[in-house]
Every structure is written in C-alpha cells, then in structure tokens.
Amino acid sequence: MTDFQFMQKAQPTVALFVSDLHLQASLPRTAAAFLAFLQTHARQTQRLYLLGDIFEYWAGDDDLATPFNQQIADAIKAVREHGVEIFWIAGNRDFLVSQGFADAAGLTLLDDPHVVTLAGRTLALAHGDAQCTDDQAYMAFRAQVRQPAYQQQFLAMPLAQRKAIIEGMRKNSQDANQNKSYEIMDVNAGAIDQLFAQTGTDTLIHGHTHRPALHRLDDGKRLRYVLPDWEYDVETPRGGWISLTADGALHRYDAAGTVII
C-alpha cells in the first residue's frame, strides 16, 4: 500500500465535485462512466456537488419524460437514498433545471456562487461561465436567457419547439467559438479576483472552461481548482473529479480515477 493509499483509507471522503459531463444519449460511454462513478465513488462520500453542464442541454423539467433523462435522475436519486447529500449549481447548458428535476433526482439547488465550509475549509463553488467576462457576446446572451421573464416565455413553448431552438443555438455557438481564442473563452483574472472578494474565501472550485488545472494565486495564498470536462466516447477518454477528505485536503482525479499529485 502506498502512502497516498493509506492516507485515503485513513481519511474519509467528505465531498466530491464534478462538472461538465455534457450527458446525452448519443454518447453512451460517457453516460456509462458517470453511472459507474455514481455507483462507486459517489456512494463513498458524504456530499456530492454537481457544478453545472451535467447535461449537454436541458429544455425544461417536462423533459424528464425522456428515458435517458429519467435514467440519469434515477441514478442520482439512488445515491441520495444511499445517504449522500447532493447539490446542484446550474451550468450554461442546463440552467433551466428547476425544482421538478431536483425532486426527481433528490438534490438541492444552489445559487452560483455558493460558499460552503467543510472539513475545516471554506470553499467557493461556481460553474465558471459568469467569470468569462472577456467573451462579451456570450455575457450578453447569458444575461438575456437568465431573466425570469425570458425563461417563462421559453418554457411556455411546446417541448419539441424548445428542443429545436436549443439545437439551433448550439450550432450557432459552435460556429462562433471556432473564431474565438481560448483566452477569450477562459475566465477573466479580474472577475476571479472579484469572486474571491465577494465570497471571502481563498479556495475556488469551478468548471466550464474545460481546462483542468490547479492555479496557485498570490504565491499560493489563493487556490483556483478547475474541473475537467468528461468525454469517454473517444480514443483517449478524459474526465475526472475533485475530492475533499476529512483532513481538509483536496485531491484531483483523472478519467481513470487516478489521483493527480
């Protein structure tokens, strides 16, 4: 047994953090990887935090009638019934998730950002898209679709119409992103500073950018953990999560469930 394995055995997992799975029926290996994660790792923690873009898109809670969506909700709820508390922060793809899905999946909806104190650490949790302020076109779009009046009008449309509109938006977004630099689509340093100040924390965990890393800011006085996106339907799978153990240590895991030192 390695020193790290011994530490993991001695220190229970308090929380797991995951984001950007972009689950969809057309990517069955990615969905299977998440279901396996729920049945194994997620049942061995006290809390599970889903930090946005768990689904590729969410057209409204009435889409729970779709068998794939119901399967995912049932699998999450099974973890809750195992005694694990589950929390959700909306992403830019699934911000229309509301109480209907929360009830079906047995989870609690959180505002973005959210501050939590666990294992002696105070953490700021966010999806991350609100800090991509250099992408002015996206920020304008985000401001529009997050308005309650806009969402009410959109959700009043038939489900099939909503899905068709979303598909068109996804295509337009993919085309637009081809002409954007990684820097524009990444978080803005000033926005991150503002988030740290707003939350009064020194540790931030977020996703969205698909650029997993640990950023040590101010000579390590502040830490920014970026979660990976998941894609198992490719030759070289990618994915992973972050864990918090009872001693207050944060660990990063890759797609194979191997800790990244």
Side-chain angles (χ1 to χ4, degrees), residues 49-236:
Y49 287 86
L50 305 173
L51 301 186
D53 285 3
I54 303 305
F55 291 97
E56 171 65 6
Y57 71 86
W58 191 257
D61 285 0
D62 52 341
D63 204 12
L64 268 167
T66 300
F68 178 80
N69 294 341
Q70 188 65 62
Q71 178 189 20
I72 299 301
D74 289 345
I76 295 172
K77 189 169 187 179
V79 177
R80 178 68 189 93
E81 292 172 345
H82 198 71
V84 179
E85 294 184 87
I86 305 174
F87 303 90
W88 174 286
I89 286 180
N92 56 295
R93 300 298 189 108
D94 48 20
F95 60 87
L96 288 176
V97 160
S98 58
Q99 197 58 49
F101 176 82
D103 292 341
L107 55 81
T108 300
L109 303 176
L110 301 177
D111 291 333
D112 184 353
H114 176 76
V115 178
V116 62
T117 299
L118 297 169
R121 297 188 69 144
T122 301
L123 309 172
L125 309 177
H127 178 59
D129 62 321
Q131 286 68 50
C132 295
T133 55
D134 291 331
D135 191 345
Q136 296 181 10
Y138 170 70
M139 294 304 292
F141 170 78
R142 186 183 192 278
Q144 177 186 19
V145 300
R146 296 299 182 105
Q147 293 178 5
Y150 178 94
Q151 294 183 11
Q152 183 178 10
Q153 182 180 18
F154 183 77
L155 291 172
M157 300 177 183
L159 179 60
Q161 183 179 0
R162 278 178 267 149
K163 288 187 173 183
I165 291 172
I166 290 172
E167 287 294 342
M169 288 180 174
R170 290 171 64 203
K171 178 62 167 59
N172 291 338
S173 176
Q174 290 170 357
D175 292 343
N177 287 345
Q178 291 180 359
N179 298 317
K180 294 178 182 178
S181 69
Y182 281 115
E183 288 72 23
I184 288 177
M185 293 187 290
D186 202 355
V187 296
N188 173 275
I192 292 297
D193 287 341
Q194 184 177 2
L195 182 56
F196 275 117
Q198 173 188 348
T199 58
T201 62
D202 58 16
T203 304
L204 166 65
I205 300 175
H206 72 84
H208 179 66
T209 64
H210 300 191
R211 303 177 75 176
L214 167 56
H215 299 273
R216 301 180 186 274
L217 310 176
D218 297 336
D219 296 324
K221 294 178 182 178
R222 296 184 301 171
L223 304 174
R224 179 168 70 92
Y225 288 83
V226 186
L227 288 159
D229 66 312
W230 287 40
E231 173 61 280
Y232 286 72
D233 292 81
V234 291
E235 184 175 349
T236 304

